[in-house]
Amino acid sequence: RKNCVCELILVCIDLETSVFFLNANTVDQTHHEKEKHFLTADGKEESFPSRMDPPSLELSVVVPSYNEELRLPVMMDEAMEYLEKRQKKNPSFTYEVIVVDDGSKDKTTEVAMKYTKNYGAQKVRVLTLVKNRGKGGAVRMGTLSSRGRLILMADADGATKFADIEKVEEGLESISEKPDNMAISCGSRAHLEKESVAQRSLFRTFLMFGFHFLVWFFCVRGIKDTQCGFKLFTREAALKTFSSLHVERWAFDVELLFIAQCFDIPVVEVAVNWTEIEGSKLVPFWSWLQMGRDLVFIRLRYLTGAWRLESERKTQ
């Protein structure tokens, strides 16, 4: 029996490995026809810009949202209050917030549209995806529909104080050499690690350190916190990295930073305020297991050539 069980496990692993490599190039990076448009405050349909269009705003904030009808308003109220105050102090500061509804089953789109009606579609746009892609897919779709010179990725739960955008902006400015104007400033919770270890169970602490080791071993070195959902990109860096992104779910941050390092895009890490908010979609054991598996496959697929960076595909 033991031999049969072991053989069954090996067959399952072999099948999963085969499926992962066969599907390595099947990530759908195209927009469904319905995803090319947004609704204005009075309900008219207008087209999102092309990613090739030059930036027309200072800042785009991309908010990936899946079943966030309850948590989104808190985050949006804080963000809009900050952005409106900043614009009043400096009228030349222009911005947009793109809420990406990642195929939600609740009223996320309806909740987000209230902000479009209050502030106008020039400031708040809602991109409703036809199907659930995962957080990485939602951020990419929002990024490729944005107009900002700078692009901020911000989680819908509001775990990071929105005013900390000034910290990641300072981090971006601290990078003196930006090849082709590409640079990334990552919000980081690494400074809170000792406190989080004290509050977590031994098992969750083991999973956290295990994940950090896998990130370091397989993909990204020099970044202590790859998973913080508060990252600021120059437009050039965002388009370069997201155009090559394959992973659409939880481990997408790691592939994104892996791509950045492959392209020698400078990345800086900046400490930000962070509070754990109830309602996380992350299921501790299974999500960490999935992310660990994804890290292994990220490395293997690039090593074997199953995945290539955008510039490599163009030269072939």
Side-chain angles (χ1 to χ4, degrees):
R1 281 187 180 178
K2 287 183 179 179
N3 288 336
C4 290
V5 171
C6 290
E7 287 177 7
L8 182 61
I9 291 172
L10 289 173
V11 168
C12 289
I13 292 173
D14 187 51
L15 284 173
E16 186 177 6
T17 302
S18 299
V19 169
F20 264 81
F21 277 96
L22 284 171
N23 293 334
N25 292 310
T26 61
V27 176
D28 181 13
Q29 300 195 25
T30 60
H31 285 68
H32 187 280
E33 192 61 34
K34 292 181 180 178
E35 297 167 348
K36 297 178 181 179
H37 306 92
F38 62 91
L39 294 179
T40 63
D42 55 3
K44 292 181 180 179
E45 196 175 82
E46 292 189 8
S47 298
F48 280 106
S50 163
R51 67 174 182 169
M52 303 309 296
D53 291 345
S56 56
L57 302 174
E58 179 65 20
L59 174 70
S60 290
V61 181
V62 177
V63 186
S65 307
Y66 178 67
N67 292 341
E68 292 288 4
E69 65 175 347
L70 298 179
R71 300 196 298 178
L72 184 62
V74 178
M75 179 271 173
M76 286 294 291
D77 288 344
E78 180 186 353
M80 296 306 296
E81 181 181 4
Y82 170 87
L83 292 167
E84 286 293 284
K85 283 183 178 179
R86 181 163 171 175
Q87 191 172 64
K88 285 181 180 178
K89 288 182 180 179
N90 179 14
S92 65
F93 171 73
T94 53
Y95 74 89
E96 69 175 347
V97 178
I98 301 176
V99 178
V100 186
D101 181 347
D102 188 22
S104 298
K105 298 176 182 178
D106 66 358
K107 297 181 179 179
T108 296
T109 287
E110 289 87 336
V111 169
M113 279 301 300
K114 291 179 182 178
Y115 292 88
T116 299
K117 292 175 181 177
N118 289 340
Y119 294 95
Q122 285 302 308
K123 290 185 176 180
V124 181
R125 295 181 174 182
V126 182
L127 169 54
T128 302
L129 302 185
V130 172
K131 63 179 181 179
N132 175 261
R133 288 175 172 265
K135 184 180 176 182
V139 176
R140 180 182 59 219
M141 297 295 277
T143 297
L144 300 182
S145 301
S146 67
R147 298 173 288 164
R149 185 181 68 82
L150 299 178
I151 299 171
L152 176 72
M153 178 181 83
D155 284 346
D157 61 4
T160 302
K161 288 186 178 296
F162 195 83
D164 280 1
I165 185 176
E166 296 176 12
K167 295 181 179 180
V168 288
E169 282 179 315
E170 289 174 4
L172 207 61
E173 292 171 3
S174 72
I175 300 173
S176 56
E177 294 186 12
K178 300 182 180 71
D180 298 322
N181 198 41
M182 292 190 294
I184 303 172
S185 180
C186 298
S188 174
R189 304 159 296 180
H191 61 294
L192 303 172
E193 192 168 277
K194 289 183 179 179
E195 181 182 340
S196 67
V197 167
Q199 295 175 352
R200 281 192 174 101
S201 67
L202 182 62
F203 181 63
R204 289 191 68 181
T205 299
F206 172 77
L207 289 176
M208 179 185 73
F209 282 115
F211 178 74
H212 287 173
F213 172 76
L214 289 175
V215 169
W216 175 85
F217 187 78
F218 285 109
C219 299
V220 177
R221 299 187 179 185
I223 303 295
K224 295 179 180 178
D225 182 9
T226 58
Q227 301 308 110
C228 182
F230 204 74
K231 294 181 174 69
L232 184 67
F233 305 77
T234 61
R235 184 175 187 82
E236 292 81 1
L239 296 181
K240 188 77 168 178
T241 52
F242 278 102
S243 294
S244 290
L245 187 71
H246 298 85
V247 176
E248 293 195 303
R249 299 201 177 272
W250 298 110
F252 85 94
D253 301 80
V254 178
E255 190 196 357
L256 201 69
L257 294 173
F258 174 79
I259 292 168
Q261 291 187 342
C262 287
F263 282 128
D264 293 323
I265 298 173
V267 180
V268 66
E269 198 170 7
V270 181
V272 295
N273 293 294
W274 186 83
T275 305
E276 189 157 354
I277 306 296
E278 291 185 7
S280 173
K281 308 298 186 301
L282 201 67
V283 181
F285 177 74
W286 294 111
S287 295
W288 288 112
L289 191 64
Q290 181 186 13
M291 285 193 286
R293 180 196 63 184
D294 286 347
L295 296 181
V296 175
F297 280 105
I298 287 170
R299 188 63 176 171
L300 285 176
R301 285 172 173 170
Y302 278 110
L303 280 174
T304 60
W307 285 352
R308 292 184 174 89
L309 300 175
E310 185 67 19
S311 60
E312 294 174 345
R313 289 199 292 268
K314 288 179 178 178
T315 57
Q316 292 184 354

